[in-house]
Structures are given as structure tokens and as C-alpha cells.
Amino acid sequence: MCRSTTTVGATQETTTSKVCAVPAPTVLPHIQDTRHIAPADARELTKVFLLRLDALEEGTHEYQYVRNTLIEMNLTLVRYAARRFSGRGDTTEDMLQVGTIGLIKAIDRYDVSRGVEFTTLAVPYIQGEIKRFFRDTTWSVHVPRRLQEMRIDLARAREQLEGQGIHEPSAADLAAHLNMDEAEVTQALVAANGYDSDSIDRPIQASGPQQQTGLVADVIGSEDPALALAEDIQALKPHLAELDDRDRTLLELRFGAEMTQAEIGKELGLSQMHVSRLITRICTHLREEMLATD
């Protein structure tokens, strides 16, 4: 395909020349196994196959062959991009799959007429799909995208501050370094805790002279039953203050000194049966008062 261009000089007559585009090849080289193609050869073959793909009608058998061959030849780009994210704990297989989606999008959207290297378009597409995969699927707790992206900025800022001698930078330090509001930084730090989770049944990983053994669940705090008892005692105090001296004495001897009803009867000159009825009445009264308060 050719197009005409016209140039007008200051003192010369108008001249016309023709610039011809590179024609799409009609016969493609035979590729027996794309895995054995050197990277330099793959780049040159990619140009040839992209030109042919642009000239073919979508949906034809040859179109599918050319497109599939382009995908197979450029899987090295996907593996290259996936290596940048290899330290994030996800399987390489998952990253290769989502990266291949980015490669396919780049092939389908590549415009040969622009004359841009295919890798210039393909690599950002591949990396974009992998980043989207991490953003949408790897967070254990869903948080807004804004806070997800701030996690990376905070990690970089923490590393820079630690390099300046500030160990364990505070939210205020990070906010000043990033020129952000401290409340927003605090929110992002809290949200970052939702990036990953782990089983409480995993072994403890400890280092140092005093190494711990066992499971994480063994060192996680649990509710102390004594806390509920302490709350009940505090709630009971005003109701105890309303009792007369004899009733408070009965309770103190029974539950404080842990005396039996017979021993209390001898102490106060009452029968054991009378002491039992009095304690039952007092406890019933206090229980009703507590329930009414709740």
C-alpha cells in the first residue's frame, strides 16, 4: 500500500514522492516449536506475524493460527513480568495465567500502522493484569482501592525512613514524609493488616536465645472469666450498700469468710434454718436488682 506526499520548497517547484508501507507477508515461516525460539528471533518473527495478522480476517483458520503462535512466542514476556512479583506469596502459575490475559489483550489491540515496538505495548498490559490480580484477589479483607495502593507507598516510605535512622516510623513520621494527613495514614496502616492472613494452627516462628514452640493459637489471648466476675462485683456494689447491717454481715460471713450456715447461726444466735431463709431472701433481692439494672 502506498500513499503520496507533497513537499513545497521556498524557490523550487512542488515535488511529489511516494512512501510505501511494508506489505504483509503472504507466506509465514514454519515454526515447529515456539519454546525453542531465541528471544531475538522471537522479536523479529513477532513483527512478521503481527503484519500478517493485521491483513487477515478475524475468525478465519489462518487468523487463529497466527494469533495463537504470537501468544506462544511471547510467553517469555509473561514469565519476565511475573518474576517481578515472585516474592508476594502467590503461585507462579496464577501469575502466568493472568499475565497471559494481558498478552492476549496486547496482541488484539496492537496497531501495526503506528510503528511501535510490540514489547512497548505488551509489557504494561501484562504487568497491569498481574497488578489487578493482586488488587482484586489476594487481599484477605476487602478494602478500598485507594487504601490498597497506599500500602505500597507506605512500605517505600518506611524503608526510606529506616534508611535515615528512624526505626519503627510512626504514623506521624510517615505522614510527614509522604506529605499526607496523619489520620489518612493511620487508616491505611490499619487497612494494610487485611492484606494477608494466616492460620492460628501454624507453628510459632521465633528466633533468638529464647525460642518458643507450639502453635500461634497457644499464645493468642482469650477472654478471662475473672473479668466478667469483676464487672459483676462493680455492678453489685451499690445494691450491697442499700442492705442493712445484718444482711451485709450474713453475706460477709457466708461468702467472705466461707462459713457454713450452722456456724453463722452459732455466731449470730440464729437457727441454721433461719440463716438459710435469710441468705436466700437476700440473694433473690440482689439478683432482681441486678436484672432490673441491666
Side-chain angles (χ1 to χ4, degrees):
M1 180 184 296
C2 298
R3 57 185 177 87
S4 299
T5 59
T6 302
T7 305
V8 180
T11 59
Q12 298 177 350
E13 296 181 355
T14 302
T15 60
T16 303
S17 63
K18 288 188 176 182
V19 179
C20 298
V22 178
T26 56
V27 179
L28 295 173
H30 177 67
I31 300 176
Q32 191 169 13
D33 191 345
T34 57
R35 293 174 298 179
H36 297 156
I37 301 176
D41 295 335
R43 285 195 294 270
E44 294 303 319
L45 287 171
T46 295
K47 296 176 183 178
V48 175
F49 274 72
L50 285 171
L51 282 171
R52 184 58 181 163
L53 187 71
D54 185 61
L56 294 173
E57 182 180 352
E58 185 175 353
T60 62
H61 177 75
E62 187 179 1
Y63 180 94
Q64 292 301 324
Y65 164 74
V66 173
R67 184 171 179 265
N68 291 340
T69 304
L70 280 167
I71 295 171
E72 293 173 2
M73 280 195 302
N74 289 279
L75 286 177
T76 53
L77 293 176
V78 179
R79 288 190 284 270
Y80 166 77
R83 282 199 295 268
R84 293 189 54 196
F85 303 90
S86 59
R88 298 200 177 189
D90 291 87
T91 62
T92 303
E93 185 64 29
D94 291 338
M95 289 187 286
L96 290 177
Q97 288 183 10
V98 296
T100 302
I101 295 174
L103 173 63
I104 294 171
K105 289 181 178 179
I107 292 172
D108 291 342
R109 299 174 186 178
Y110 182 75
D111 186 356
V112 295
S113 65
R114 300 186 64 179
V116 179
E117 283 289 336
F118 175 69
T119 54
T120 304
L121 176 71
V123 173
Y125 265 94
I126 295 168
Q127 291 179 346
E129 288 297 323
I130 296 176
K131 290 178 180 179
R132 188 177 296 109
F133 165 74
F134 283 116
R135 186 185 69 233
D136 296 341
T137 64
T138 60
W139 282 71
S140 299
V141 179
H142 178 72
V143 299
R145 180 177 178 180
R146 173 180 59 86
L147 297 179
Q148 291 182 12
E149 294 174 347
M150 282 183 63
R151 173 181 173 273
I152 300 175
D153 295 334
L154 289 173
R156 291 173 180 167
R158 185 186 299 277
E159 184 178 349
Q160 293 170 359
L161 289 173
E162 288 177 349
Q164 297 172 9
I166 304 177
H167 300 290
E168 295 297 329
S170 64
D173 295 329
L174 294 168
H177 184 78
L178 295 171
N179 195 24
M180 297 175 60
D181 182 67
E182 183 177 348
E184 189 175 10
V185 170
T186 302
Q187 186 182 17
L189 290 172
V190 173
N193 294 326
Y195 179 71
D196 55 14
S197 61
D198 209 340
S199 172
I200 62 175
D201 293 326
R202 65 177 173 83
I204 296 173
Q205 297 178 352
S207 59
Q210 298 181 346
Q211 294 191 4
Q212 290 180 284
T213 59
L215 304 177
V216 173
D218 299 333
V219 296
I220 294 179
S222 58
E223 185 176 351
D224 188 347
L227 291 177
L229 178 60
E231 292 178 355
D232 291 341
I233 291 175
Q234 292 300 318
L236 187 61
K237 278 185 177 181
H239 302 299
L240 290 174
E242 296 175 356
L243 300 176
D244 56 33
D245 292 339
R246 187 186 68 172
D247 289 349
R248 283 200 298 271
T249 300
L250 281 168
L251 293 178
E252 183 179 352
L253 295 175
R254 179 67 184 91
F255 300 104
E258 297 185 350
M259 296 172 60
T260 64
Q261 293 178 0
E263 290 171 341
I264 295 172
K266 290 179 180 179
E267 180 75 20
L268 300 180
L270 302 171
S271 67
Q272 184 269 335
M273 186 63 68
H274 192 190
V275 171
S276 177
R277 286 198 298 267
L278 289 173
I279 292 176
T280 300
R281 177 183 58 80
I282 296 169
C283 290
T284 301
H285 170 73
L286 291 174
R287 186 178 296 109
E288 291 174 351
E289 292 294 321
M290 290 281 288
L291 292 174
T293 302
D294 293 341

